[in-house]
Amino acid sequence: MIAKLTGTLDSMGHDHAVIDVGGVGYLVFASSRTLSGLAAKGDKVVLHTEMQVSETDMRLIGFASASERDGFRLLTGVQGVGSKVALAILSALTPEELARAVAQGDKAMIARSQGVGPKLALRIVNELKDKMGALSLGPAGIGIPALVGNHAADAVSALQNLGFKPADAARAVAGAEEDLGEGASLDALVRLALKKAAR
């Protein structure tokens, strides 16, 4: 499975980009939010990716951050939400806004996304509230994304991959970034967060 692409931006359409990696052009579908954040043609691009395979299709989906990719995975786990609908939601809402909408039961906020009606929005809220709630709330119920900077979502994801619970990982990363400051590198953030989570 392809988990990450690092290459140069070859071309871009309204719902995809072509990333040149060592002379091979990867067609990567993405949210409009991710596409709008890409550099100019010929510049270096780094995208987290998810491979989707079905009987009739095989596609690579790209994300600007690990938190966007994690949100996509949660969304596509909901009945009736395919990759196009998930990307439409992530085009309308940041991962943090999605987590907040789910935690607060705000189906109207999710229904603002193209192709999402009230019934589907309600199903998303109901199915994701237990899965996403831990990620969106910190020690005092403060949104973790509000506390953390660019590498925070990747650091939280790294700790979760090592077996830490989402809430514990988010708390440890928030504490580590508070100590190190927003400009901290991902490596430094993960190292300190691991120490804090292990206490």
Side-chain angles (χ1 to χ4, degrees), residues 71-162:
F72 177 86
R73 286 175 178 167
L74 287 170
L75 285 167
T76 52
V78 175
Q79 184 188 349
V81 178
S83 61
K84 285 184 180 176
V85 171
L87 287 176
I89 292 169
L90 292 168
S91 292
L93 304 172
T94 65
E96 293 80 10
E97 288 168 342
L98 174 61
R100 197 159 47 244
V102 168
Q104 295 170 355
D106 189 351
K107 62 183 189 294
M109 190 171 178
I110 295 171
R112 289 191 331 219
S113 312
Q114 189 176 355
V116 180
K119 284 185 182 176
L120 183 56
L122 180 60
R123 190 184 307 143
I124 290 167
V125 166
N126 288 338
E127 289 192 27
L128 295 187
K129 63 184 171 194
D130 294 331
K131 297 176 185 176
M132 201 172 252
L135 283 173
S136 61
L137 298 176
I142 300 167
I144 285 291
L147 296 174
V148 296
N150 294 340
H151 294 304
D154 290 340
V156 169
S157 182
L159 263 66
Q160 284 181 249
N161 290 338
L162 293 170

Side-chain angles (χ1 to χ4, degrees), residues 28-52:
V28 185
F29 293 89
S31 69
S32 59
R33 191 179 300 276
T34 289
L35 291 172
S36 67
L38 292 180
K41 183 177 176 179
D43 284 351
K44 183 180 175 183
V45 173
V46 179
L47 287 176
H48 298 268
T49 57
E50 181 85 354
M51 178 78 84
Q52 285 219 318

